[in-house]
Amino acid sequence: MVPRMPILEHQFLAQQRSWRLLSQLRAREPDLSVLARLPDTIDFADLAALESLLIDLGLNDEGSDEFPASLQPALGRGLLVWQYPNQFAPYLSALAELGVHSYLELGVRHGGSFIATVEILRRAAPIARAIAVDVLPCPALDRYTPEGVTFWQVSTLTPRFHEQLHALGAIDLAMIDTHHEAEQCWAEFQRVAPIARMVALHDIANIGCPGVGEIWRRIRQLPGYRCLEFTAQYDRGPFMGIGLAIRSGA
Ligand SMILES: C[S@@+](CC[C@H](N)C(=O)[O-])C[C@H]1O[C@@H](n2cnc3c(N)ncnc32)[C@H](O)[C@@H]1O
């Protein structure tokens, strides 16, 4: 049983302020034509090749200071993937091994990491269902509509999201990458943990997101999970970092 943490009124007001700010941050349209560069098969053991492929798909340029000089030419192009390739490649490789047939991403921004995850993991095993969730519109997900892929424009903190999750049933993997504050991160973990065989958190090592690190340390203490971390850095930070909690026996 995952313990509950109430969202206090001042925290709720702080969230309202940040959502007002977020609503000014319209998602951009990634260039989906780069998907044609993906080979039919991927060698998930070759991490260097997978990392190069991710760079070639194009990275997000918001927070460009977090990326090293060597990656600057890849920023603002292609899918706008908002990940460190040296973390995302071993994460996707581990997931390919663990088997993912259904995926839920909370907080998708431009949709780049969601689309990359689906397109790369479907080279390891068929993805029957993939659900992207964001409180803001995501134009890319109006255009990226393979069978089984859905976009829910909803806040993860609403009863409507809870109902949609309930109707969804069991899934293999949920990635949490929304507001990066402890209370919201924990509330989202509580919502997805009962249905997800694996839960990933983004920004567990990010110096700018101490709340996510705090929740990740709490998850690591929970009984019933085996936890993996993908926190390789370049020449700055620490930034980003992916934690993957795998339910025991899964
Ligand atoms: C860091 S971005 C996500 C990046 C994306 N996962 C990627 O790798 O490209 C955070 C996103 O979370 C969304 N978000 C924040 N709070 C949310 C909430 N309560 N419900 C749904 N989405 C939320 C924001 O609108 C924003 O698009």
Side-chain angles (χ1 to χ4, degrees), residues 8-250:
L8 302 174
E9 191 179 359
H10 72 274
Q11 290 163 339
F12 179 74
L13 291 173
Q15 279 177 355
Q16 296 281 302
R17 276 196 299 279
S18 49
W19 287 338
R20 269 198 295 279
L21 177 68
L22 269 175
S23 65
Q24 298 157 17
L25 300 174
R26 281 167 49 101
R28 300 216 306 271
E29 296 229 21
D31 175 8
L32 300 185
S33 71
V34 296
L35 292 176
R37 296 180 191 168
L38 280 169
D40 289 342
T41 56
I42 291 176
D43 176 1
F44 284 93
D46 188 346
L47 295 183
L50 187 51
E51 194 177 325
S52 299
L53 184 60
L54 290 168
I55 296 167
D56 200 34
L57 289 178
L59 303 171
N60 192 17
D61 55 0
E62 289 168 287
S64 57
D65 291 351
E66 296 183 6
F67 289 88
S70 61
L71 291 182
Q72 295 292 324
L75 303 186
R77 291 196 307 104
L79 285 190
L80 305 172
V81 171
W82 206 351
Q83 302 284 338
Y84 265 1
N86 63 353
Q87 300 171 355
F88 206 34
Y91 163 74
L92 292 171
S93 173
L95 289 173
E97 183 81 16
L98 287 157
V100 175
H101 301 278
S102 45
Y103 177 54
L104 173 73
E105 184 172 315
L106 308 189
V108 293
R109 189 71 180 122
H110 312 301
S113 300
F114 172 78
I115 295 169
T117 301
V118 173
E119 287 298 319
I120 289 172
L121 289 184
R122 72 167 12 145
R123 264 90 177 158
I127 305 278
R129 288 180 303 169
I131 300 99
V133 179
D134 207 289
V135 70
L136 297 181
C138 181
L141 295 173
D142 294 335
R143 291 185 294 126
Y144 178 75
T145 55
E147 200 181 335
V149 170
T150 321
F151 175 52
W152 297 349
Q153 191 186 337
V154 64
S155 166
T156 58
L157 302 178
T158 56
R160 181 156 72 90
F161 176 67
H162 200 73
E163 285 157 21
Q164 285 174 280
L165 267 194
H166 187 71
L168 180 67
I171 53 164
D172 287 320
L173 172 67
M175 157 69 95
I176 297 175
D177 188 14
T178 58
H179 186 48
H180 301 106
E181 295 292 341
E183 292 75 18
Q184 180 164 331
C185 187
W186 185 240
E188 290 168 338
F189 178 76
Q190 287 178 300
R191 288 203 159 179
V192 299
I195 62 158
R197 183 165 67 89
M198 299 181 271
V199 181
L201 256 58
H202 194 242
D203 290 302
I204 62 164
N206 196 327
I207 194 170
C209 304
V212 180
E214 178 192 326
I215 298 307
W216 177 244
R217 287 190 293 280
R218 188 181 306 172
I219 292 170
R220 279 195 324 208
Q221 302 300 316
L222 293 176
Y225 282 103
R226 176 166 71 92
C227 292
L228 305 179
E229 296 184 352
F230 306 91
T231 55
Q233 297 295 318
Y234 293 102
D235 57 0
R236 57 205 67 205
F239 291 123
M240 306 205 193
I242 305 171
L244 180 64
I246 307 154
R247 227 188 261 147
S248 299

